[in-house]
Amino acid sequence: MKFQPPKGTNDFLSKEMIRRQYVIETTKNVFEAYGFEPLETPVFEDLKALEAKCGKDVREQIYKFEDKAGRRLGLKFDLTVPLARIVANNPQLPKPLKTYQISKVWRYEEVTRARKREFLQADIDIIGSSNMVADVECVACAVDCLKALGFKDFEIRINDRKVLDGILELIKVEKEKNLDIFRVIDKLERIGKNGVKEELQRIDLEENKIKSLMEIITVKGNYKKILNRCKKLLNGIKIGEEGLTELEKIFEGGKLFRISNMVLDFSLARGLDYYTGPIFEIIVKTKKEIGSVAGGGRYNNLIELLGGRPTPATGISLGMERIIEITKTDKLFDLPKTKIKVFVANVDEKVKSETIKIAQKLRKEGIFCQTGLMNRNLTKQLEFADGLGVPYTLIVGEKELKEKKFKLKDMKKKTEKKIKLDKIIKLLK
Amino acid sequence: MKFQPPKGTNDFLSKEMIRRQYVIETTKNVFEAYGFEPLETPVFEDLKALEAKCGKDVREQIYKFEDKAGRRLGLKFDLTVPLARIVANNPQLPKPLKTYQISKVWRYEEVTRARKREFLQADIDIIGSSNMVADVECVACAVDCLKALGFKDFEIRINDRKVLDGILELIKVEKEKNLDIFRVIDKLERIGKNGVKEELQRIDLEENKIKSLMEIITVKGNYKKILNRCKKLLNGIKIGEEGLTELEKIFEGGKLFRISNMVLDFSLARGLDYYTGPIFEIIVKTKKEIGSVAGGGRYNNLIELLGGRPTPATGISLGMERIIEITKTDKLFDLPKTKIKVFVANVDEKVKSETIKIAQKLRKEGIFCQTGLMNRNLTKQLEFADGLGVPYTLIVGEKELKEKKFKLKDMKKKTEKKIKLDKIIKLLK
């Protein structure tokens, strides 16, 4: 009997964890600089809450189960629904409520290099403000996270669900089809124009409507020109006009926050059903094949849908697995192999207990250290420490104990000096 | 439709999260000082791996489900089994392997104040060393975590599964019953002597054996005296003698690590089946009613059982929910209500964009801040900031912008001064 981690999940050993912790810490720090405050919810939720507004595709991907009392539960597939549930249940929470969550989520998807079934997300959300500045603040914060991690060549794609609604109204699509169409459009990058056309045919959209839709959504270029052209096109279609106004505010706000790489992209739709206004996605230009590294948008109806008061809300989610992967493949920073600073080695078994006493002293001073636990000779101990990547070893023998001076070995430089313990402590601190 | 977090789980809002993050950070820091390195595993595992050696009671408590491909999975009920699985699959990992994990686990149990169904554990483990120093190091590290968090009045209970095996051999219990009996004994604190007797009767243990067993396991006092008496009692019973030797080494090691509050307790058994040697539990003396705050022991067979080579292993798990709860009820430390340092308020809407520019400058300097997002007047903004517990507000108006000096208001002291932005930055840093 041997067991692997279940398909689509991963174990993370220390080297990988040091990277993950660094990325998480960096992200958390930027989130907090923007005034977002931490929030955590259970890994599973009432299945009905999860299914309320996720959309057909995601509904199929939820890990579902019953607890022993017969409650129907599911592992959360995102961090927005649990947040909306909390806000719905706690109308007394002061607004705007600015929260961040860094947590794993689960979706049963086809596993690829960029897509796992268990994956880490880092979300920020602003609840209670209908001001577009809130949306832009979320985008700005996500951008600063990426910058803090060393990302350079990325692009923020912006669209608005209301504009998409307006376009569909313009070309006379029955409203019930809108969400299905959004989910198809959202796959453009992955399945290409022909793929999208085929899927639109499959949901019975007429050929001429498909043609018109594809023409409009694939327009790209200077946002002001496109907005102006679109204003004429959607003239008189209220929802579309609203969406365009929102987009204008988003781009104005972008200037205020000095976000330089925002692009208007009518083909951006996002896969989840709960969006109601501006939507955004961040793409690393050199890594388009792995999809977006962040995405989000405004979801003004979700909290009401989960039993709360009508409450405007917006947020963005960083895809941490992809971000971590890129920091690795693109060597965005170097990290030590281990956090252990010094290995306290014993010359022979007789002085073993002295190494423990010394190690305890070092630990009290906040110096991360390890002692031998395997009755190995000195050479083997040094080899072990070197293998772990520990930068220093401190060698304890009877002679050293008498002299009250110990050999401190720099494992990289291969140098050593004999000094007193208090000096060693100063040096290692 | 309104939804609560599922029974036995909790949402954690910002104030609670600040405490949790502080406790986790403190614990992590002590773990790392002892040379433990981070590890993370998926939330769910192959159900067979989980069920391999958990024991009857826990097996009943696993949240089980199938994924869409029909894999039988379960949410992990502890952090030891996933670690043992990794070690079994990766015999090349250098030994001793010292890992720490801080993660939620799940058990469907009866919900009480001290017992949730989703709860956080912080584990350290030493794999590959059969030296009892490894066990003591784990205990010492757990003790230092508690001390770092301000705990004072606690006691470390020590026993050894081999001694319990020896006692059962002495009173001639059939070996197959041992694990069942351990699980019953383990409940002594919770259900009392009579409760234990009743449960032992239920598993068909004869009256005279129950009597003998209860007499031996409820002995308490000076560990040297008890050990000596027990040596005579278990004379010739190999497994029991081995256990007593292990216990002697544990208590010697305790002195080396200067652990002052170790107590020998033959009634300690631990609820999980995988223990093979020394076992330990930490109890806060004034909080006995909530059960142990940490527990663990040696599990030399588990890795082999999961398909690996025979590998000695030991570890201890901190019950973080209980620890967090006690830091709160016993007021072990004070924490700020929010991490936001300053609220950048605008006198009127005209200067709104200037507040954003200033906030962005502060954020770049690592000062956590927030701006208004609700078109509120100044008084309302100050009230909001005060409600959040933000210590400073910075007030931006047209006059201030012209003068290039801004009012910085100390919200607690109710004082304010007008100073330049670079001075404000220095002050808030």
Side-chain angles (χ1 to χ4, degrees), chain A residues 3 37 89 95 338 376, chain B residues 3 37 89 95 129 338 376:
Chain A
F3 302 95
E37 302 207 81
N89 284 344
K95 309 285 181 321
T338 178
R376 286 177 181 142
Chain B
F3 302 95
E37 302 206 81
N89 285 343
K95 310 286 179 323
S129 170
T338 177
R376 286 177 180 141

Side-chain angles (χ1 to χ4, degrees), chain A residues 142-332:
Chain A
V143 165
D144 276 355
C145 286
L146 292 175
K147 282 185 183 166
L149 290 168
F151 282 74
K152 283 191 183 87
D153 218 16
F154 54 87
E155 166 181 289
I156 303 123
R157 295 182 181 167
I158 309 279
N159 196 11
D160 195 295
R161 277 282 174 99
K162 288 178 184 167
V163 172
L164 288 175
D165 282 329
I167 292 169
L168 294 182
E169 195 178 318
L170 175 75
I171 59 173
K172 300 198 164 55
V173 171
E174 313 88 278
K175 256 195 176 163
E176 311 84 65
K177 280 194 177 153
N178 285 18
L179 289 173
D180 286 332
I181 293 173
F182 295 162
R183 278 197 298 274
V184 175
I185 296 175
D186 187 58
K187 297 180 192 165
L188 183 62
E189 196 84 29
R190 250 181 295 158
I191 62 176
K193 277 187 197 178
N194 287 330
V196 169
K197 278 181 198 165
E198 272 168 39
E199 288 212 18
L200 290 174
Q201 284 161 352
R202 221 172 295 152
I203 57 173
D204 291 327
L205 194 65
E206 296 90 327
E207 273 311 316
N208 61 331
K209 291 181 183 173
I210 294 180
K211 205 175 155 238
S212 309
L213 179 62
M214 294 304 285
E215 264 170 27
I216 302 175
I217 66 166
T218 52
V219 170
K220 271 173 201 173
N222 177 285
Y223 91 89
K224 276 204 173 158
K225 269 190 202 160
I226 300 177
L227 273 186
N228 283 332
R229 212 193 310 160
C230 224
K231 264 186 201 164
K232 283 173 206 156
L233 204 66
L234 296 178
N235 185 24
I237 298 177
K238 205 176 152 251
I239 186 102
E241 288 178 332
E242 263 180 53
L244 291 171
T245 308
E246 289 182 356
L247 283 178
E248 269 185 312
K249 285 186 183 158
I250 296 280
F251 278 89
E252 273 168 34
K255 282 181 206 155
L256 205 57
F257 280 92
R258 294 173 196 253
I259 308 172
S260 55
N261 32 5
M262 281 181 14
V263 173
L264 184 59
D265 182 349
F266 287 142
S267 77
L268 175 69
R270 305 283 305 145
L272 291 156
D273 278 5
Y274 51 61
Y275 294 112
T276 57
I279 43 181
F280 12 89
E281 245 178 42
I282 307 183
I283 312 276
V284 175
K285 281 187 194 166
T286 54
K287 303 275 167 182
K288 282 187 182 167
E289 72 281 3
I290 71 162
S292 62
V293 294
R298 186 162 275 280
Y299 51 97
N300 283 351
N301 297 339
L302 186 59
I303 292 158
E304 195 178 357
L305 203 90
L306 293 172
R309 296 180 194 157
T311 312
T314 183
I316 193 165
S317 177
L318 293 167
M320 299 296 268
E321 304 298 342
R322 292 175 183 180
I323 287 172
I324 292 164
E325 180 67 18
I326 294 173
T327 69
K328 207 161 47 179
T329 56
D330 288 20
K331 301 194 173 66
L332 296 189

Side-chain angles (χ1 to χ4, degrees), chain B residues 114-153:
Chain B
R115 207 176 282 275
K116 305 284 176 223
R117 291 179 180 168
E118 172 175 79
F119 52 101
L120 189 68
Q121 289 199 330
D123 281 30
I124 42 175
D125 291 273
I126 301 179
I127 312 284
S129 170
S130 50
N131 198 320
M132 291 298 121
V133 171
D135 302 71
V136 183
E137 190 177 287
C138 290
V139 173
C141 179
V143 165
D144 276 356
C145 286
L146 292 174
K147 283 185 182 165
L149 289 168
F151 283 74
K152 282 191 185 84
D153 219 13

Side-chain angles (χ1 to χ4, degrees), chain A residues 66-191:
Chain A
E66 278 186 15
D67 75 4
K68 285 179 77 181
R71 283 180 195 87
R72 296 188 63 217
L73 304 169
L75 296 181
K76 59 185 169 191
F77 63 83
D78 79 354
L79 304 175
T80 310
V81 174
L83 168 62
R85 168 182 60 70
I86 290 176
V87 177
N89 284 344
N90 298 280
Q92 82 289 354
L93 288 170
K95 309 285 181 321
L97 178 70
K98 290 176 67 173
T99 64
Y100 75 84
Q101 302 178 71
I102 302 177
S103 166
K104 285 177 175 176
V105 298
W106 297 266
R107 293 187 200 174
Y108 188 87
E109 292 198 82
E110 219 178 294
V111 178
T112 64
R113 205 169 145 237
R115 205 176 283 274
K116 306 282 175 224
R117 290 178 180 167
E118 171 175 80
F119 51 101
L120 188 69
Q121 289 199 328
D123 281 29
I124 43 175
D125 291 272
I126 301 178
I127 312 285
S129 169
S130 51
N131 197 321
M132 292 297 121
V133 170
D135 303 72
V136 184
E137 191 177 286
C138 290
V139 174
C141 179
V143 165
D144 276 355
C145 286
L146 292 175
K147 282 185 183 166
L149 290 168
F151 282 74
K152 283 191 183 87
D153 218 16
F154 54 87
E155 166 181 289
I156 303 123
R157 295 182 181 167
I158 309 279
N159 196 11
D160 195 295
R161 277 282 174 99
K162 288 178 184 167
V163 172
L164 288 175
D165 282 329
I167 292 169
L168 294 182
E169 195 178 318
L170 175 75
I171 59 173
K172 300 198 164 55
V173 171
E174 313 88 278
K175 256 195 176 163
E176 311 84 65
K177 280 194 177 153
N178 285 18
L179 289 173
D180 286 332
I181 293 173
F182 295 162
R183 278 197 298 274
V184 175
I185 296 175
D186 187 58
K187 297 180 192 165
L188 183 62
E189 196 84 29
R190 250 181 295 158
I191 62 176

Side-chain angles (χ1 to χ4, degrees), chain A residues 2-3 11-12 33-34 37 40 43 68 85 89 95 104 118 129 306-307 338 360 369 373 376, chain B residues 1-3 11-12 33-34 37 40 43 60 85 89 95 104 118 129 307 338 360 369 373 376:
Chain A
K2 258 200 185 177
F3 302 95
D11 297 322
F12 300 107
Y34 273 80
E37 302 207 81
E40 201 177 284
V43 303
K68 285 179 77 181
R85 168 182 60 70
N89 284 344
K95 309 285 181 321
K104 285 177 175 176
E118 171 175 80
S129 169
L306 293 172
T338 178
Q360 290 297 84
C369 66
L373 290 166
R376 286 177 181 142
Chain B
M1 288 226 289
K2 258 201 186 179
F3 302 95
D11 296 322
F12 301 108
Y34 272 80
E37 302 206 81
E40 202 177 284
V43 303
E60 288 297 307
R85 169 182 60 70
N89 285 343
K95 310 286 179 323
K104 285 177 174 176
E118 172 175 79
S129 170
T338 177
Q360 290 297 83
C369 66
L373 290 165
R376 286 177 180 141

